[in-house]
Amino acid sequence: MDAFFASVEVLDRPDVVGKPAVVAHDSARSVVTSATYEARAMGIRSAMPLSNAKRLVPDVIVLEPHFEKYRHYSQLVMKIFHDFTPLVEQLSIDEAFLDVSGAQKIFGSPEEIAAQIKQRVFEETGLPCSVGVASTKFVAKLASTKSKPNGLLVIPEEDTLKFLHPLPIDALWGVGKKTAEILHKRGLHTVADVAHSPEQSLITALGQAAGAHLYALSWARDNRPVTTERVDKSIGKEHTFNEDVTDLEKLKATLLFQADHVGAQLRKAQLEARTIGLKVTFSDFESLTRSRTLPEGTSVGREIHKIVCELLDDLRIGGRAVRLIGVRAAGLVEAGGQQLSLWEDDVDPWKDAEIVIDQVDQKFGPASVRPASLLRKIEPTRESGTPG
Amino acid sequence: MKFQVNRDVLSEAVSFAVKMLPARTTLPILSGVLIEASTEGLVFSSFDYEVSTQTKVAATVETPGRVLVSGRLLAEIANRLPNAPVTFESVESRIQVSCGSANFTLLSMPVEEYPTIPQVDGETGVLPAEEFSSAVSQVAVAASRDDVTPVITGVQLEITGNSLSLVATDRYRVAIRDIPWESTGTVADITALVPARTIQEIGKTFGHSGNISISITNKDDRELIAFTADNKTVTSLLIKGNFPPVKRLFPEKVENYAVVNTAELIEATRRVKLVVEREAALRFTFANNGLTLEAIGGEQAQASETIDAVISGPDVVVSLKPDFLLDGLGAVHSEFTRIGFTSVENPAKPGPVLITSQTSKDTPSEDAYRYLLQPNLLLR
């Protein structure tokens, strides 16, 4: 989807059409969640502090985010995809891979299918989207990015390398700022440069897995199938404070809220986390993460909170001002998959209590039951992660 | 102080004293080995307030005395000395060690600050060393290594009449073995909870000692156990608290069971477990006079293997953690293993499996070793 959150907001604000606008909570510390193409043309990007965006474009229109709306439209769009093929791999709220190899008899060539999808999405939601068609998942994603906004780009299998090789290396999946830096230092700037270096030298530079992976991608070798079930690698919740916080008690209260949230998410997904992580970003943007791996998985918010508080205490942050704090649960395993014990003497009462809280929340709405220490108002925490 | 001692006798005595010391100690003085020379010979001692060792050694003592020297350093020196008699002589605050052409000067630690080594008197009973040693190695594998629950980090000794049971558990499995016991004291039935690490060292050291004399005493509210054999004595504080009543978890009778070749199952389990992550379980299907092991849940790799099994009763599928199974199989000490399947009332929990030894496919062995293991839920 093209500028998904922004496009959804604009549906209800016809007056904004064609003007630079961003989706963000209008406060001093927020960041841009999504920007219209008009705003992007003027240099505004997602994840940019709102204050910077306002400096660039003083009359930028700020639209309040509505996550429930995005979920609604996301579901509508995914439903349309499922009319074309059951093989839909939803990558995020506004992206998905579709394997249409089996749908060609009914709907025509991949290009025709792509055009039909674009048309139906626009007719039924009013939202623009871009479609990349290719023989592998990552080239399809590159093609869709390249065709934005409101585009359609087909890369036939035989033209894949012709399309891929002139691209800058950071277009490749898994190449972020750090990796790009390492490769630039070695004089590698385009995908073709990577493709024509010896695989071993990439492995030396980046390590076994990353090096081999990058080399394969540079030759468009990506044999991952479109998988309909995606396994979550981690579940997290983080929060940027409106004003930097030094009070340890307040930080811990925020962590309690986050830990309870993460616990509830884990239980909902019937998962347990083996690794609990804490992330702290200070006012000077120095960011620290600490994690601990447990002998047994947990989905109990109380336990997660205890661990992140210990991790926070171990950081000995003194009076340093904290800008962002977050909890992450990783090493996810299926609940009940771990070793059962021969006898039960210490059934964790908190787990049962939290399951009951889940049920109450389901019936009466979120936060119907919450820890007394959170009755003092804490800042609402936004969903972590931004759509791609 | 001055004495002369055989090199091998010295090396053995010092390494035993040092072996029982913790790798790191908060009190430097506890890293020392105490050497006491008297007309009766030498005594080497070590102590860390929980465990103590004493070894009596014959030596030619010229001048009696007491010195304290760094245990690890002395042990390393003793291991490397040439084959010749070793002479110790204290000169002011130093100790001179000479052996053949080698000479060492060691600093004497302040012997007057060294704590008093606990003494136990009165024997409670006697154990056959070899059986004790093998029982400890069979049982201690099941003890918990997690200090969060101290009571299950020990091996429980339960004495009733002429029998001593060793029991250990980490909540996921229980291992038990009974060995003969000859009571020589006045008290009949006793229980004692000994730290697993200590009892394992004792089992290894005293394995060929004939009989081990045991003494359990209660002094100044501290319960203490002493093991004595071959001029060596080890004392250990007992772990306080109540050991969970795990004996009642064992079923009285098991009708449904399978018998497999122990080595075959060990080999197959080690192979199949290669593809799963550390904590993951394997699936064991007992059917058609065979046992099929499958590694499940791995996205990337899968493995399976089938070995022979003689099955009595209905076919069974269980999910077991491979390392836990291997601990049990490694402890049966027999060519064949019987795996019994029990049922429990709780429908949400599979019944534990009972591992015992078999001398042949048809004959259970006399060995009173039992290993009870809780299977996981079958996920697929």
Side-chain angles (χ1 to χ4, degrees), chain B residues 182-232:
Chain B
E182 190 192 319
S183 184
T184 50
T186 47
V187 203
D189 295 356
I190 309 171
T191 61
L193 189 52
V194 188
R197 178 185 165 265
T198 310
I199 204 167
Q200 276 174 304
E201 283 298 341
I202 293 167
K204 280 184 216 157
T205 309
F206 288 169
H208 306 288
S209 307
N211 281 322
I212 302 174
S213 157
I214 305 278
S215 160
I216 299 169
T217 47
N218 198 334
K219 260 189 198 163
D220 313 326
D221 200 34
R222 306 190 83 174
E223 276 197 291
L224 201 67
I225 188 165
F227 300 81
T228 306
D230 285 351
N231 297 325
K232 289 194 185 75

CSV table of all heavy atoms in Angstrom, one decimal, chain B residues 182-232:
chain,number,residue,atom,x,y,z
B,182,GLU,N,24.4,-51.5,56.8
B,182,GLU,CA,24.5,-52.2,58.1
B,182,GLU,C,24.6,-51.2,59.2
B,182,GLU,O,25.6,-50.4,59.3
B,182,GLU,CB,25.8,-53.1,58.0
B,182,GLU,CG,25.9,-54.0,59.2
B,182,GLU,CD,27.3,-54.6,59.3
B,182,GLU,OE1,27.9,-54.9,58.2
B,182,GLU,OE2,27.9,-54.7,60.4
B,183,SER,N,23.6,-51.2,60.0
B,183,SER,CA,23.5,-50.2,61.1
B,183,SER,C,24.5,-50.6,62.2
B,183,SER,O,24.5,-51.7,62.7
B,183,SER,CB,22.1,-50.0,61.6
B,183,SER,OG,22.1,-49.0,62.6
B,184,THR,N,25.3,-49.7,62.7
B,184,THR,CA,26.2,-50.0,63.8
B,184,THR,C,25.9,-49.1,65.0
B,184,THR,O,26.5,-49.2,66.1
B,184,THR,CB,27.7,-49.8,63.4
B,184,THR,OG1,27.9,-48.6,62.8
B,184,THR,CG2,28.1,-50.9,62.4
B,185,GLY,N,25.1,-48.1,64.8
B,185,GLY,CA,24.8,-47.1,65.8
B,185,GLY,C,23.5,-47.5,66.5
B,185,GLY,O,23.0,-48.6,66.4
B,186,THR,N,23.0,-46.5,67.3
B,186,THR,CA,21.8,-46.8,68.0
B,186,THR,C,20.5,-46.4,67.3
B,186,THR,O,19.5,-47.0,67.5
B,186,THR,CB,21.9,-46.0,69.4
B,186,THR,OG1,22.3,-44.7,69.1
B,186,THR,CG2,22.8,-46.7,70.3
B,187,VAL,N,20.7,-45.4,66.4
B,187,VAL,CA,19.5,-44.9,65.7
B,187,VAL,C,19.1,-45.8,64.6
B,187,VAL,O,20.0,-46.2,63.8
B,187,VAL,CB,19.7,-43.4,65.2
B,187,VAL,CG1,18.4,-42.7,65.1
B,187,VAL,CG2,20.7,-42.7,66.2
B,188,ALA,N,17.9,-46.0,64.4
B,188,ALA,CA,17.5,-47.0,63.3
B,188,ALA,C,17.2,-46.2,62.0
B,188,ALA,O,18.0,-46.4,61.0
B,188,ALA,CB,16.3,-47.8,63.7
B,189,ASP,N,16.1,-45.4,61.9
B,189,ASP,CA,15.8,-44.8,60.7
B,189,ASP,C,16.2,-43.4,60.6
B,189,ASP,O,15.8,-42.6,61.5
B,189,ASP,CB,14.2,-44.9,60.5
B,189,ASP,CG,13.8,-46.4,60.3
B,189,ASP,OD1,14.7,-47.2,60.3
B,189,ASP,OD2,12.6,-46.6,60.3
B,190,ILE,N,17.0,-43.0,59.6
B,190,ILE,CA,17.5,-41.7,59.4
B,190,ILE,C,17.3,-41.2,58.0
B,190,ILE,O,17.4,-42.0,57.1
B,190,ILE,CB,19.0,-41.7,59.7
B,190,ILE,CG1,19.3,-42.4,61.1
B,190,ILE,CG2,19.6,-40.3,59.8
B,190,ILE,CD1,20.8,-42.6,61.3
B,191,THR,N,17.2,-39.9,57.8
B,191,THR,CA,17.3,-39.3,56.5
B,191,THR,C,18.4,-38.2,56.5
B,191,THR,O,18.6,-37.6,57.5
B,191,THR,CB,16.0,-38.7,56.0
B,191,THR,OG1,15.6,-37.6,56.8
B,191,THR,CG2,14.9,-39.7,55.9
B,192,ALA,N,19.1,-38.1,55.4
B,192,ALA,CA,20.1,-37.1,55.3
B,192,ALA,C,20.2,-36.6,53.9
B,192,ALA,O,20.2,-37.3,52.9
B,192,ALA,CB,21.5,-37.6,55.7
B,193,LEU,N,20.2,-35.2,53.7
B,193,LEU,CA,20.2,-34.6,52.4
B,193,LEU,C,21.6,-34.0,52.1
B,193,LEU,O,22.0,-33.0,52.7
B,193,LEU,CB,19.1,-33.6,52.3
B,193,LEU,CG,18.8,-32.9,51.0
B,193,LEU,CD1,18.5,-34.0,50.0
B,193,LEU,CD2,17.5,-32.0,51.2
B,194,VAL,N,22.4,-34.7,51.2
B,194,VAL,CA,23.8,-34.3,51.0
B,194,VAL,C,23.9,-33.6,49.7
B,194,VAL,O,23.3,-34.1,48.7
B,194,VAL,CB,24.7,-35.6,51.0
B,194,VAL,CG1,26.1,-35.2,50.9
B,194,VAL,CG2,24.4,-36.5,52.1
B,195,PRO,N,24.6,-32.5,49.6
B,195,PRO,CA,24.8,-31.8,48.3
B,195,PRO,C,25.3,-32.7,47.2
B,195,PRO,O,26.2,-33.5,47.4
B,195,PRO,CB,25.8,-30.7,48.6
B,195,PRO,CG,25.7,-30.4,50.1
B,195,PRO,CD,25.3,-31.7,50.7
B,196,ALA,N,24.6,-32.6,46.0
B,196,ALA,CA,24.9,-33.6,45.0
B,196,ALA,C,26.4,-33.6,44.6
B,196,ALA,O,27.0,-34.6,44.3
B,196,ALA,CB,24.0,-33.4,43.8
B,197,ARG,N,26.9,-32.4,44.4
B,197,ARG,CA,28.3,-32.3,44.0
B,197,ARG,C,29.3,-33.0,44.9
B,197,ARG,O,30.2,-33.7,44.5
B,197,ARG,CB,28.7,-30.8,43.9
B,197,ARG,CG,30.1,-30.5,43.4
B,197,ARG,CD,30.4,-29.0,43.5
B,197,ARG,NE,31.8,-28.8,43.4
B,197,ARG,CZ,32.7,-28.7,44.4
B,197,ARG,NH1,32.2,-28.7,45.6
B,197,ARG,NH2,33.9,-28.6,44.2
B,198,THR,N,29.0,-32.8,46.2
B,198,THR,CA,29.9,-33.4,47.2
B,198,THR,C,29.8,-34.9,47.2
B,198,THR,O,30.8,-35.6,47.2
B,198,THR,CB,29.5,-32.9,48.6
B,198,THR,OG1,29.5,-31.5,48.6
B,198,THR,CG2,30.5,-33.3,49.7
B,199,ILE,N,28.6,-35.4,47.1
B,199,ILE,CA,28.4,-36.9,47.2
B,199,ILE,C,28.9,-37.5,45.9
B,199,ILE,O,29.5,-38.6,45.9
B,199,ILE,CB,26.9,-37.3,47.5
B,199,ILE,CG1,26.9,-38.7,48.1
B,199,ILE,CG2,26.1,-37.2,46.2
B,199,ILE,CD1,25.5,-39.1,48.7
B,200,GLN,N,28.9,-36.8,44.8
B,200,GLN,CA,29.5,-37.3,43.5
B,200,GLN,C,31.0,-37.5,43.7
B,200,GLN,O,31.6,-38.5,43.3
B,200,GLN,CB,29.2,-36.4,42.3
B,200,GLN,CG,27.8,-36.7,41.8
B,200,GLN,CD,27.4,-35.7,40.7
B,200,GLN,OE1,27.4,-34.5,40.9
B,200,GLN,NE2,27.1,-36.3,39.5
B,201,GLU,N,31.7,-36.5,44.3
B,201,GLU,CA,33.1,-36.6,44.5
B,201,GLU,C,33.4,-37.7,45.4
B,201,GLU,O,34.4,-38.5,45.2
B,201,GLU,CB,33.7,-35.3,45.0
B,201,GLU,CG,33.8,-34.1,44.0
B,201,GLU,CD,34.8,-34.5,42.9
B,201,GLU,OE1,35.6,-35.4,43.1
B,201,GLU,OE2,34.7,-33.9,41.8
B,202,ILE,N,32.6,-37.9,46.5
B,202,ILE,CA,32.9,-38.9,47.4
B,202,ILE,C,32.7,-40.3,46.7
B,202,ILE,O,33.5,-41.2,46.9
B,202,ILE,CB,31.9,-38.8,48.6
B,202,ILE,CG1,32.2,-37.6,49.4
B,202,ILE,CG2,32.0,-40.0,49.5
B,202,ILE,CD1,31.2,-37.2,50.4
B,203,GLY,N,31.7,-40.4,45.9
B,203,GLY,CA,31.4,-41.7,45.2
B,203,GLY,C,32.6,-42.0,44.3
B,203,GLY,O,33.0,-43.2,44.3
B,204,LYS,N,33.2,-41.0,43.6
B,204,LYS,CA,34.3,-41.3,42.7
B,204,LYS,C,35.6,-41.7,43.5
B,204,LYS,O,36.3,-42.6,43.2
B,204,LYS,CB,34.7,-40.0,41.9
B,204,LYS,CG,33.7,-39.8,40.7
B,204,LYS,CD,34.2,-38.6,39.9
B,204,LYS,CE,33.0,-37.9,39.3
B,204,LYS,NZ,33.4,-36.5,39.1
B,205,THR,N,35.8,-41.0,44.7
B,205,THR,CA,37.0,-41.2,45.4
B,205,THR,C,37.0,-42.5,46.2
B,205,THR,O,38.0,-43.2,46.3
B,205,THR,CB,37.2,-40.0,46.4
B,205,THR,OG1,37.1,-38.8,45.7
B,205,THR,CG2,38.6,-40.1,47.1
B,206,PHE,N,35.8,-42.9,46.7
B,206,PHE,CA,35.8,-44.0,47.6
B,206,PHE,C,35.3,-45.3,46.9
B,206,PHE,O,35.0,-46.3,47.6
B,206,PHE,CB,34.8,-43.7,48.8
B,206,PHE,CG,35.4,-42.7,49.8
B,206,PHE,CD1,34.5,-42.2,50.8
B,206,PHE,CD2,36.7,-42.4,49.8
B,206,PHE,CE1,35.0,-41.3,51.7
B,206,PHE,CE2,37.2,-41.4,50.7
B,206,PHE,CZ,36.4,-40.9,51.7
B,207,GLY,N,35.3,-45.3,45.6
B,207,GLY,CA,34.7,-46.4,44.8
B,207,GLY,C,35.4,-47.7,45.1
B,207,GLY,O,34.8,-48.8,45.0
B,208,HIS,N,36.7,-47.7,45.4
B,208,HIS,CA,37.4,-49.0,45.6
B,208,HIS,C,37.9,-49.2,47.0
B,208,HIS,O,38.9,-49.8,47.2
B,208,HIS,CB,38.6,-49.1,44.6
B,208,HIS,CG,38.1,-48.8,43.2
B,208,HIS,ND1,37.4,-49.8,42.5
B,208,HIS,CD2,38.3,-47.8,42.4
B,208,HIS,CE1,37.1,-49.3,41.3
B,208,HIS,NE2,37.6,-48.0,41.2
B,209,SER,N,37.1,-48.7,48.0
B,209,SER,CA,37.6,-48.7,49.3
B,209,SER,C,37.1,-49.8,50.2
B,209,SER,O,37.3,-49.7,51.4
B,209,SER,CB,37.3,-47.3,50.0
B,209,SER,OG,37.7,-46.3,49.1
B,210,GLY,N,36.4,-50.8,49.7
B,210,GLY,CA,35.9,-51.8,50.5
B,210,GLY,C,34.6,-51.3,51.2
B,210,GLY,O,33.5,-51.4,50.6
B,211,ASN,N,34.7,-50.9,52.4
B,211,ASN,CA,33.5,-50.4,53.1
B,211,ASN,C,33.7,-48.9,53.5
B,211,ASN,O,34.8,-48.4,53.7
B,211,ASN,CB,33.3,-51.1,54.4
B,211,ASN,CG,32.6,-52.5,54.2
B,211,ASN,OD1,31.8,-52.6,53.3
B,211,ASN,ND2,33.0,-53.5,54.9
B,212,ILE,N,32.6,-48.2,53.5
B,212,ILE,CA,32.6,-46.8,53.9
B,212,ILE,C,31.8,-46.7,55.2
B,212,ILE,O,30.7,-47.2,55.3
B,212,ILE,CB,31.9,-45.9,52.9
B,212,ILE,CG1,32.6,-46.0,51.5
B,212,ILE,CG2,32.0,-44.4,53.3
B,212,ILE,CD1,31.9,-45.3,50.4
B,213,SER,N,32.5,-46.0,56.2
B,213,SER,CA,31.8,-45.8,57.4
B,213,SER,C,31.1,-44.5,57.4
B,213,SER,O,31.7,-43.5,57.0
B,213,SER,CB,32.9,-45.9,58.5
B,213,SER,OG,32.4,-45.2,59.7
B,214,ILE,N,29.8,-44.5,57.8
B,214,ILE,CA,29.0,-43.2,57.8
B,214,ILE,C,28.7,-42.8,59.2
B,214,ILE,O,28.4,-43.6,60.1
B,214,ILE,CB,27.7,-43.5,57.1
B,214,ILE,CG1,27.9,-44.1,55.7
B,214,ILE,CG2,26.9,-42.2,57.0
B,214,ILE,CD1,28.3,-43.1,54.6
B,215,SER,N,28.8,-41.5,59.4
B,215,SER,CA,28.4,-41.0,60.7
B,215,SER,C,27.6,-39.7,60.5
B,215,SER,O,28.0,-38.8,59.9
B,215,SER,CB,29.7,-40.7,61.5
B,215,SER,OG,29.4,-39.8,62.6
B,216,ILE,N,26.4,-39.8,61.1
B,216,ILE,CA,25.5,-38.6,61.0
B,216,ILE,C,25.3,-38.0,62.4
B,216,ILE,O,24.9,-38.7,63.3
B,216,ILE,CB,24.2,-39.0,60.4
B,216,ILE,CG1,24.4,-39.5,59.0
B,216,ILE,CG2,23.2,-37.8,60.3
B,216,ILE,CD1,23.2,-40.2,58.3
B,217,THR,N,25.7,-36.7,62.6
B,217,THR,CA,25.5,-36.1,63.9
B,217,THR,C,24.8,-34.8,63.8
B,217,THR,O,24.8,-34.2,62.8
B,217,THR,CB,26.9,-35.9,64.5
B,217,THR,OG1,27.7,-35.2,63.6
B,217,THR,CG2,27.5,-37.1,65.0
B,218,ASN,N,24.3,-34.4,64.9
B,218,ASN,CA,23.6,-33.1,65.0
B,218,ASN,C,24.3,-32.3,66.1
B,218,ASN,O,24.1,-32.6,67.3
B,218,ASN,CB,22.2,-33.4,65.4
B,218,ASN,CG,21.3,-32.2,65.0
B,218,ASN,OD1,21.8,-31.0,65.1
B,218,ASN,ND2,20.0,-32.4,64.8
B,219,LYS,N,25.1,-31.4,65.7
B,219,LYS,CA,25.9,-30.6,66.7
B,219,LYS,C,25.6,-29.1,66.6
B,219,LYS,O,25.6,-28.6,65.5
B,219,LYS,CB,27.4,-30.8,66.5
B,219,LYS,CG,28.1,-31.8,67.4
B,219,LYS,CD,29.6,-31.7,67.2
B,219,LYS,CE,30.2,-33.0,67.7
B,219,LYS,NZ,31.6,-33.1,67.2
B,220,ASP,N,25.3,-28.5,67.7
B,220,ASP,CA,25.0,-27.0,67.6
B,220,ASP,C,24.0,-26.6,66.5
B,220,ASP,O,24.3,-25.7,65.7
B,220,ASP,CB,26.3,-26.2,67.4
B,220,ASP,CG,27.4,-26.7,68.3
B,220,ASP,OD1,27.1,-27.1,69.4
B,220,ASP,OD2,28.6,-26.7,67.9
B,221,ASP,N,23.0,-27.4,66.4
B,221,ASP,CA,22.0,-27.1,65.4
B,221,ASP,C,22.4,-27.3,63.9
B,221,ASP,O,21.8,-26.8,63.0
B,221,ASP,CB,21.4,-25.7,65.6
B,221,ASP,CG,20.0,-25.6,64.9
B,221,ASP,OD1,19.3,-26.6,64.9
B,221,ASP,OD2,19.7,-24.5,64.4
B,222,ARG,N,23.6,-27.9,63.8
B,222,ARG,CA,24.1,-28.1,62.4
B,222,ARG,C,24.2,-29.6,62.2
B,222,ARG,O,24.9,-30.3,62.9
B,222,ARG,CB,25.5,-27.4,62.2
B,222,ARG,CG,25.5,-26.0,62.5
B,222,ARG,CD,26.8,-25.3,62.1
B,222,ARG,NE,26.7,-25.0,60.7
B,222,ARG,CZ,27.6,-24.3,60.0
B,222,ARG,NH1,28.7,-23.9,60.6
B,222,ARG,NH2,27.5,-23.9,58.8
B,223,GLU,N,23.5,-30.0,61.2
B,223,GLU,CA,23.6,-31.5,60.9
B,223,GLU,C,24.7,-31.8,59.9
B,223,GLU,O,24.9,-31.1,58.9
B,223,GLU,CB,22.3,-31.9,60.3
B,223,GLU,CG,21.2,-32.2,61.3
B,223,GLU,CD,20.1,-33.0,60.7
B,223,GLU,OE1,19.4,-32.5,59.9
B,223,GLU,OE2,20.0,-34.2,61.1
B,224,LEU,N,25.4,-32.8,60.3
B,224,LEU,CA,26.7,-33.1,59.6
B,224,LEU,C,26.7,-34.6,59.3
B,224,LEU,O,26.3,-35.4,60.0
B,224,LEU,CB,27.8,-32.8,60.6
B,224,LEU,CG,29.2,-32.5,60.1
B,224,LEU,CD1,29.2,-31.2,59.3
B,224,LEU,CD2,30.2,-32.4,61.2
B,225,ILE,N,27.3,-34.9,58.1
B,225,ILE,CA,27.5,-36.3,57.7
B,225,ILE,C,29.0,-36.5,57.4
B,225,ILE,O,29.6,-35.6,56.9
B,225,ILE,CB,26.6,-36.7,56.5
B,225,ILE,CG1,26.7,-38.3,56.3
B,225,ILE,CG2,27.0,-36.0,55.2
B,225,ILE,CD1,25.7,-38.8,55.4
B,226,ALA,N,29.5,-37.6,57.9
B,226,ALA,CA,30.9,-37.9,57.6
B,226,ALA,C,31.0,-39.3,56.9
B,226,ALA,O,30.3,-40.2,57.2
B,226,ALA,CB,31.7,-38.0,58.9
B,227,PHE,N,31.9,-39.3,55.9
B,227,PHE,CA,32.2,-40.5,55.2
B,227,PHE,C,33.6,-40.9,55.4
B,227,PHE,O,34.5,-40.0,55.2
B,227,PHE,CB,32.0,-40.3,53.6
B,227,PHE,CG,30.6,-40.0,53.2
B,227,PHE,CD1,30.2,-38.6,53.3
B,227,PHE,CD2,29.7,-40.9,52.7
B,227,PHE,CE1,28.9,-38.3,52.9
B,227,PHE,CE2,28.4,-40.6,52.3
B,227,PHE,CZ,28.0,-39.2,52.4
B,228,THR,N,33.9,-42.1,55.9
B,228,THR,CA,35.3,-42.4,56.2
B,228,THR,C,35.7,-43.8,55.6
B,228,THR,O,34.9,-44.7,55.7
B,228,THR,CB,35.5,-42.5,57.7
B,228,THR,OG1,35.1,-41.3,58.3
B,228,THR,CG2,37.0,-42.7,58.1
B,229,ALA,N,36.8,-43.8,54.9
B,229,ALA,CA,37.3,-45.0,54.3
B,229,ALA,C,38.8,-44.7,54.0
B,229,ALA,O,39.1,-43.6,53.6
B,229,ALA,CB,36.6,-45.4,53.1
B,230,ASP,N,39.6,-45.8,54.0
B,230,ASP,CA,41.0,-45.7,53.6
B,230,ASP,C,41.8,-44.5,54.2
B,230,ASP,O,42.5,-43.7,53.5
B,230,ASP,CB,41.1,-45.4,52.1
B,230,ASP,CG,40.8,-46.6,51.3
B,230,ASP,OD1,40.7,-47.7,51.9
B,230,ASP,OD2,40.6,-46.5,50.0
B,231,ASN,N,41.6,-44.2,55.5
B,231,ASN,CA,42.3,-43.1,56.1
B,231,ASN,C,41.9,-41.8,55.6
B,231,ASN,O,42.5,-40.8,55.9
B,231,ASN,CB,43.8,-43.2,56.0
B,231,ASN,CG,44.4,-44.4,56.6
B,231,ASN,OD1,43.8,-44.9,57.7
B,231,ASN,ND2,45.4,-45.0,56.1
B,232,LYS,N,40.7,-41.7,54.9
B,232,LYS,CA,40.2,-40.4,54.4
B,232,LYS,C,38.9,-40.2,55.1
B,232,LYS,O,38.1,-41.2,55.2
B,232,LYS,CB,40.0,-40.4,52.9
B,232,LYS,CG,41.3,-40.4,52.1
B,232,LYS,CD,40.9,-40.1,50.6
B,232,LYS,CE,42.0,-40.2,49.7
B,232,LYS,NZ,42.4,-41.6,49.4
